Amino acid sequence: MKVKKFCFNMFGVNTYVVYDPESRQAAIIDPGMMSPDEQDEFDQFIKLNDLNPTRLIYTHLHLDHAFGNDFVTSRYGLKACAHGDDEPLGANLSGQARMFGIPLNLKPMQVDEKLKNGDKITIGNDYLEVKHVPGHSPGGIVLYAPKDGFVITGDVLFNGSIGRTDLPGGNHAALINGIKKVLLALPDDTVVYPGHGGPTTIGAERRSNPWLR
């Protein structure tokens, strides 16, 4: 599978398209596009690469990762897939916006398919495996591609850092435990694609991430 990264909205969220180059099937992960320019940039990539988006997946339901939900669900006819423990966050996107001083009235977001640990999401001839890693949010997940050696970590693990745990539902101990138990169990050469910032590897984070000492 191939991975395309976009950086959208004022929070600098990484929106990913993971696609199978043979079947052209694609998964859209954490749609953060807000402006018409961002929406057009996304649409042009899908069109130019002749992709067929078949899944819409959320690593978690903080509003910066979900600004583009209405756009993607209406434009591509997709249903939202996320862990059920984050449903209250999706239902309260406007409340999240107020917490950050953003004057937007966002519609409550519905989780159409509740993902759980161990689920395998098929994309053409390959798949992403769902791994539940709570702590940044109750329903935080990472998406692991064992055949291709990468993992999309949302706001669980970053290059040299970890997700914040001071937001409602956060739990620092659970996050650290999940990273060590789930992510650090992956091969060192696994490429990490985080929800913000640039990529890293599991080995690099094991050796040098100060939060994982």
Side-chain angles (χ1 to χ4, degrees):
M1 289 188 292
K2 293 187 176 182
V3 180
K4 168 65 177 178
K5 183 186 85 170
F6 300 86
C7 185
F8 289 143
N9 71 55
M10 72 283 281
F11 292 96
V13 161
N14 291 337
T15 292
Y16 293 100
V17 176
V18 176
Y19 62 98
D20 172 21
E22 294 184 4
S23 69
R24 317 310 294 178
Q25 287 189 5
I28 300 168
I29 300 170
D30 291 349
M33 64 287 287
M34 289 185 72
S35 70
D37 285 347
E38 290 177 343
Q39 294 170 357
D40 184 63
E41 178 188 359
F42 184 85
D43 280 344
Q44 287 301 313
F45 177 80
I46 297 297
K47 182 179 180 179
L48 289 173
N49 289 275
D50 192 28
L51 298 182
N52 174 28
T54 58
R55 305 302 295 266
L56 169 59
I57 311 168
Y58 289 87
T59 60
H60 64 296
L61 292 180
H62 286 149
L63 85 162
D64 51 334
H65 292 251
F67 278 128
N69 182 70
D70 288 347
F71 167 74
V72 170
T73 54
S74 62
R75 178 66 59 91
Y76 296 101
L78 300 178
K79 295 184 176 181
C81 304
H83 196 281
D85 288 353
D86 266 13
E87 274 192 301
L89 291 174
N92 191 36
L93 292 180
S94 285
Q96 291 188 55
R98 287 193 297 273
M99 184 173 63
F100 284 99
I102 301 172
L104 290 176
N105 185 23
L106 301 172
K107 293 192 305 184
M109 180 185 151
Q110 178 178 332
V111 177
D112 300 299
E113 180 180 344
K114 297 179 184 178
L115 301 174
K116 61 183 185 301
N117 189 64
D119 283 350
K120 293 183 178 179
I121 301 172
T122 300
I123 304 171
N125 300 311
D126 213 333
Y127 69 91
L128 296 171
E129 182 177 348
V130 174
K131 294 180 179 289
H132 183 207
V133 186
H136 176 66
S137 75
I141 61 171
V142 302
L143 300 163
Y144 178 46
K147 294 182 182 179
D148 298 283
F150 69 82
V151 61
I152 294 175
T153 58
D155 289 1
V156 170
L157 180 67
F158 301 120
N159 188 337
S161 189
I162 62 171
R164 61 187 294 184
T165 55
D166 59 335
L167 298 173
N171 185 313
H172 182 79
L175 181 63
I176 295 296
N177 179 67
I179 292 171
K180 290 182 175 180
K181 182 179 179 181
V182 176
L183 288 175
L184 297 191
L186 302 179
D188 276 1
D189 61 354
T190 303
V191 177
V192 174
Y193 293 112
H196 303 264
T200 181
T201 65
I202 291 295
E205 299 313 303
R206 187 196 314 279
R207 291 188 297 270
S208 61
N209 191 311
W211 295 93
L212 304 178
R213 300 297 185 188

